[in-house]
Amino acid sequence: MLTARMSGRHSLALNENPYGPLPSVRHSLEQALASANRYPEYLPHRLARAIAARIGCSPEQIVVGAGATGVIMHILQAFVAPGRARVVMAEPIFDGYPVLTATVRGHSVMVALAADGSQDLDAMRAAVDARTGVVVLCDPHNPTGTRLRAGELTGFLDRIDTRVAVILDEAYIEFVAPDQRIDTETLLAAYPNVIVVRTFSKAFGLAGLRVGYAVADPQAAARIARWQVPFGMNILAEVGVRACYAAEDELNERIDAITSERDRVSVALRRLGYVLPDSSANHLFVPLHDPALAHRVSQAFCRAGIHVRKYSTGVRITVGDRAANQAVLTSLAEVRAAAHRLSGSVSTR
Ligand code: PMP
């Protein structure tokens, strides 16, 4: 897999940030390397305090882990219990969820997305029963980039047994304008069974450093933290996070660049005739239900050295730098033109 990614010219399969670390972040990380002979903190309390101070909650509410993936693993370890081993989630979703659910010997209950690409909360609620330990919701969703609708989340939570832990995965929330985000503190105060998960891998561009965190009610946080691995975070994690926080303005410029590219590419794809859900994340989902069309898209991307994530219903394309996005548009325009020549019209619905 690594070889395939390295040989490709445009790596758009993992929703990574196209930009390398900012010079100031890189400088801090290089300095920190001089202490690589030293252990990190036994458990990452300093990092938890830094994150808590930044987002305005108490440090007891934060659990840091090796990426959001590491944190999700600990949540599942804490809440997938005998008799409550079912984990309800949309399909498709971030691959980590079914994989980690199997790791903790849980059972994934997959609920199809609604036709518009959003999570079908009514169907998900109907899938919850006495055997459910955890429900996973993504906002924005991976792979479709859709948001949970206002009021829909609280309506859902009002009707869920409070013994069920509800993960609200906000891996891509920094790509959403601040005034459009769900207020975490208000949500957790009303629903202590909600566990918000975030990462430094996406908007912050630190995927290789593996830093993520959960924000939860202090009791739930303590239950999750029992699974933390001693000395489990590397020494660059805290340094990288602090350096990113210090460079917030520059990071925000990059986030703006990514979201405006995302919007530019979606407008262009729609002009070409592709039908896609509105994405609020750093990726676009292009539904391709016609196998012949999906094959042509796959071949065109292959020729152009573009790596994307394929699903049985379409492709997820990470928003990359301008050159990568142009390459995507060129490939999909070629496919469209060829499809017109072949049949006059090919629906992407
Ligand atoms: N949640 C979602 C929705 C994701 O898409 C991802 C990564 N693609 C993760 C969690 C995990 O991110 P990481 O482990 O890099 O923090």
Side-chain angles (χ1 to χ4, degrees), residues 67-69 72 94 138 142 169 171-172 199 201-202 210:
T69 304
I72 293 163
F94 163 51
C138 288
N142 173 8
D169 186 322
Y172 302 97
T199 180
S201 298
K202 308 298 178 185
R210 313 306 301 128

Side-chain angles (χ1 to χ4, degrees), residues 116 144-147 266 270 276-281 284:
D116 64 357
T144 53
T146 52
R147 299 247 13 230
S266 21
R270 286 186 179 130
L276 50 152
D278 279 328
S279 172
S280 298
L284 294 169

Side-chain angles (χ1 to χ4, degrees), residues 19 46 75 115 136 180 182 206 208-209 233 263-264 266 269 298 325:
Y19 305 111
R46 274 196 312 264
I75 297 170
V136 184
Q180 301 293 315
I182 293 168
L206 298 182
L209 293 189
M233 302 296 292
D263 296 342
R264 180 180 78 84
S266 21
L269 288 180
S298 177
N325 303 333

Side-chain angles (χ1 to χ4, degrees), residues 63-121:
V63 187
V64 178
T69 304
V71 180
I72 293 163
M73 177 75 185
H74 296 332
I75 297 170
L76 296 177
Q77 285 169 314
F79 288 93
V80 173
R84 282 196 170 265
R86 295 195 167 202
V87 181
V88 173
M89 63 190 87
E91 179 169 37
I93 192 170
F94 163 51
D95 297 324
Y97 283 105
V99 169
L100 298 176
T101 298
T103 306
V104 300
R105 295 173 186 270
H107 175 72
S108 297
V109 177
M110 312 302 290
V111 178
L113 292 174
D116 64 357
S118 63
Q119 292 155 102
D120 187 340
L121 293 203

Side-chain angles (χ1 to χ4, degrees), residues 16-348:
E16 293 155 326
N17 194 309
Y19 305 111
L22 287 164
S24 61
V25 176
R26 194 178 163 141
H27 177 73
S28 302
L29 293 173
E30 281 167 2
Q31 299 249 297
L33 272 180
S35 308
N37 56 316
R38 300 293 176 193
Y39 279 103
E41 220 183 351
Y42 181 72
L43 290 172
H45 293 305
R46 274 196 312 264
L47 181 49
R49 281 199 297 275
I51 294 169
R54 187 65 168 205
I55 67 172
C57 70
S58 110
E60 288 72 42
Q61 291 181 269
I62 302 288
V63 187
V64 178
T69 304
V71 180
I72 293 163
M73 177 75 185
H74 296 332
I75 297 170
L76 296 177
Q77 285 169 314
F79 288 93
V80 173
R84 282 196 170 265
R86 295 195 167 202
V87 181
V88 173
M89 63 190 87
E91 179 169 37
I93 192 170
F94 163 51
D95 297 324
Y97 283 105
V99 169
L100 298 176
T101 298
T103 306
V104 300
R105 295 173 186 270
H107 175 72
S108 297
V109 177
M110 312 302 290
V111 178
L113 292 174
D116 64 357
S118 63
Q119 292 155 102
D120 187 340
L121 293 203
D122 286 339
M124 291 183 77
R125 189 177 50 82
V128 173
D129 63 19
R131 296 163 295 180
T132 306
V134 179
V135 177
V136 184
L137 298 176
C138 288
D139 185 39
H141 189 59
N142 173 8
T144 53
T146 52
R147 299 247 13 230
L148 295 174
R149 278 181 286 272
E152 193 186 31
L153 175 63
T154 50
F156 175 83
L157 293 169
D158 282 337
R159 281 134 87 201
I160 293 285
D161 180 344
T162 51
R163 284 174 301 171
V164 175
V166 178
I167 296 179
L168 180 64
D169 186 322
E170 293 191 335
Y172 302 97
I173 199 66
E174 292 85 3
F175 296 106
V176 172
D179 63 345
Q180 301 293 315
R181 299 177 195 166
I182 293 168
D183 183 64
T184 309
E185 278 304 282
T186 314
L187 187 71
L188 292 183
Y191 304 98
N193 57 327
V194 171
I195 302 165
V196 175
V197 171
R198 303 212 186 106
T199 180
F200 287 90
S201 298
K202 308 298 178 185
F204 290 90
L206 298 182
L209 293 189
R210 313 306 301 128
V211 200
Y213 63 96
V215 195
D217 167 76
Q219 267 189 352
R223 186 165 163 184
I224 301 162
R226 282 210 302 272
W227 293 92
Q228 281 180 313
V229 178
F231 300 116
M233 302 296 292
N234 70 72
I235 58 158
L236 300 183
E238 183 186 339
V239 173
V241 167
R242 287 187 193 277
C244 281
Y245 281 162
E248 193 186 11
D249 291 346
E250 283 169 282
L251 275 179
N252 281 340
E253 280 172 28
R254 288 179 163 191
I255 291 170
D256 289 347
I258 293 168
T259 53
S260 44
E261 273 294 279
R262 173 196 69 205
D263 296 342
R264 180 180 78 84
V265 174
S266 21
V267 168
L269 288 180
R270 286 186 179 130
R271 275 204 197 109
L272 286 170
Y274 293 93
V275 176
L276 50 152
D278 279 328
S279 172
S280 298
N282 69 340
H283 51 267
L284 294 169
F285 187 78
V286 182
L288 298 167
H289 294 294
D290 172 5
L293 184 65
H295 182 65
R296 280 199 287 273
V297 168
S298 177
Q299 284 185 320
F301 280 162
C302 190
R303 278 193 302 275
I306 298 169
H307 292 282
V308 297
R309 174 71 167 83
K310 289 180 203 155
Y311 296 84
S312 59
T313 50
V315 288
R316 186 195 67 199
I317 307 168
T318 306
V319 178
D321 58 23
R322 185 107 186 163
N325 303 333
Q326 274 316 119
V328 166
L329 286 176
T330 305
S331 294
L332 291 178
E334 276 167 19
V335 169
R336 199 66 202 169
H340 275 299
R341 274 201 303 278
L342 284 172
S343 65
S345 85
V346 173
S347 168
T348 52

